[in-house]
Amino acid sequence: MSPHHRRPALLAALTAPVLALSACASTAGDDGTVRALASFYPLQMVLEEVGGDRIDVDSLTPPGAEPHDVELSPAQVAALDAADLVVYQSGFQPSVDDAVAQTAPEHVVDAADRADLDSAATHEDEHADDGHAEDEHADDEHADDGHDHDGLDPHFWLDPTRLAALAGPVADALSEIDPDGAETYRANADALVDRLTDLDETYTAALATCERRVLVTSHEAFGYLADRYDLEQVGISGIDPESEPSPARLREVGDVVRDRGVTTIFFETLASPKVAQTLAADLGVETAVLDPIEGVTDDSQDYFSIAEANLDALRVALSCS
């Protein structure tokens, strides 16, 4: 759905009864605690780690939901308007972009300004010289995936070093809101950067020597991960996990699997695995989960545990020593 089709729903949300806003405003902050909103899980994780027990954090994307297509309820728009701090990523969730533009959050951190986003075409071009470059139809399909990302791959958080760059700006914003907590926020941000740096070093060491370096995924969410660790991403679909690959694209991916000795096709937790599983069965290869960490479905999981599970899956699929 295009952004202008969302506008009536958004305006209706903004004109919801004042009672909704009052209810949201009274749920947090009455004791001086900072009320913070994240647009989806990785940003929520950064807020929680940096803010600690000095802030209350909610996410605009429900647990287990696919964040690309989230639509905000009137209560969520009201909560966004009343929040002390909103951390979101422009160009990723159109309904959130609209709501931020039309409301007045007191403080906003846009992750897109901090993440050094790359063009999605960069990741596709990396495997264009392997003899299986996408045809014009497939390129057009990827370019028009139903979401306005301004040509940028939004999945920056899969490179821990890029996610680490968000910790400082979040600490700065929280310190401006709550000066008494500035020292705590800075210490928490530094601790988070250290954890993400350790994760990056673990990935670098574990993926340094692998028999294969081609990563076949259900959609092109792993470009930053591939760039960081010298892997080659081949996506069945483009940036949008719900886009349908063309028959030509399926043939191309099949050729890559056969010619490059790929043994595993990866699918995800929040999107349908059907295409990936069907293609793997047709080609006689395995399937495994590679989680883009867009959300969590289990309270026992977090960014770091999922990233570690991803690394285990990659090491098996790529035969890393």
Side-chain angles (χ1 to χ4, degrees), residues 3-22:
H4 70 271
H5 287 148
R6 292 187 178 90
R7 193 76 60 183
L10 177 64
L11 293 177
L14 295 176
T15 55
V18 176
L19 179 60
L21 176 59
S22 300

Side-chain angles (χ1 to χ4, degrees), residues 200-226:
D200 173 59
E201 292 172 352
T202 299
Y203 261 72
T204 298
L207 299 175
T209 54
C210 304
E211 291 183 14
R212 294 173 293 277
R213 306 207 72 82
V214 177
L215 183 64
V216 178
T217 60
S218 57
H219 94 287
E220 292 180 339
F222 300 91
Y224 295 108
L225 183 149

Side-chain angles (χ1 to χ4, degrees), residues 15 97 104 123 157 184 203 282:
T15 55
D97 289 354
H123 310 306
W157 57 89
T184 296
Y203 261 72
D282 290 345

Side-chain angles (χ1 to χ4, degrees), residues 121-130 223 226-227 231-233:
T122 299
H123 310 306
E124 293 172 8
D125 289 345
E126 286 174 356
H127 58 83
D129 62 356
D130 65 5
D227 285 352
L231 303 176
E232 180 181 337
Q233 175 184 231

Side-chain angles (χ1 to χ4, degrees), residues 19-80:
L19 179 60
L21 176 59
S22 300
C24 291
S26 64
T27 58
D30 293 341
D31 60 353
T33 302
V34 175
R35 297 166 297 185
L37 272 177
S39 57
F40 62 104
Y41 174 69
L43 310 186
Q44 177 186 356
M45 184 278 289
V46 172
L47 266 171
E48 290 172 341
E49 291 293 321
V50 175
D53 59 10
R54 297 187 69 89
I55 73 173
D56 285 335
V57 182
D58 286 313
S59 175
L60 294 172
T61 302
E66 164 52 57
H68 292 74
D69 296 315
V70 70
E71 295 288 349
L72 301 188
S73 69
Q76 287 177 307
V77 175
L80 188 152

Side-chain angles (χ1 to χ4, degrees), residues 121-170:
T122 299
H123 310 306
E124 293 172 8
D125 289 345
E126 286 174 356
H127 58 83
D129 62 356
D130 65 5
H132 307 289
E134 296 182 61
D135 62 16
E136 182 177 352
H137 174 80
D139 285 338
D140 288 345
E141 180 178 275
H142 289 180
D144 183 15
D145 66 6
H147 299 285
D148 180 13
H149 301 294
D150 297 324
L152 301 178
D153 179 353
H155 304 90
F156 76 94
W157 57 89
L158 292 170
D159 175 348
T161 64
R162 291 176 186 260
L163 186 59
L166 187 60
V170 168

Side-chain angles (χ1 to χ4, degrees), residues 229-250:
Y229 305 111
D230 192 28
L231 303 176
E232 180 181 337
Q233 175 184 231
V234 177
I236 298 173
S237 296
I239 295 295
D240 177 11
E242 300 301 328
S243 65
E244 289 292 331
S246 67
R249 182 59 182 164
L250 292 174

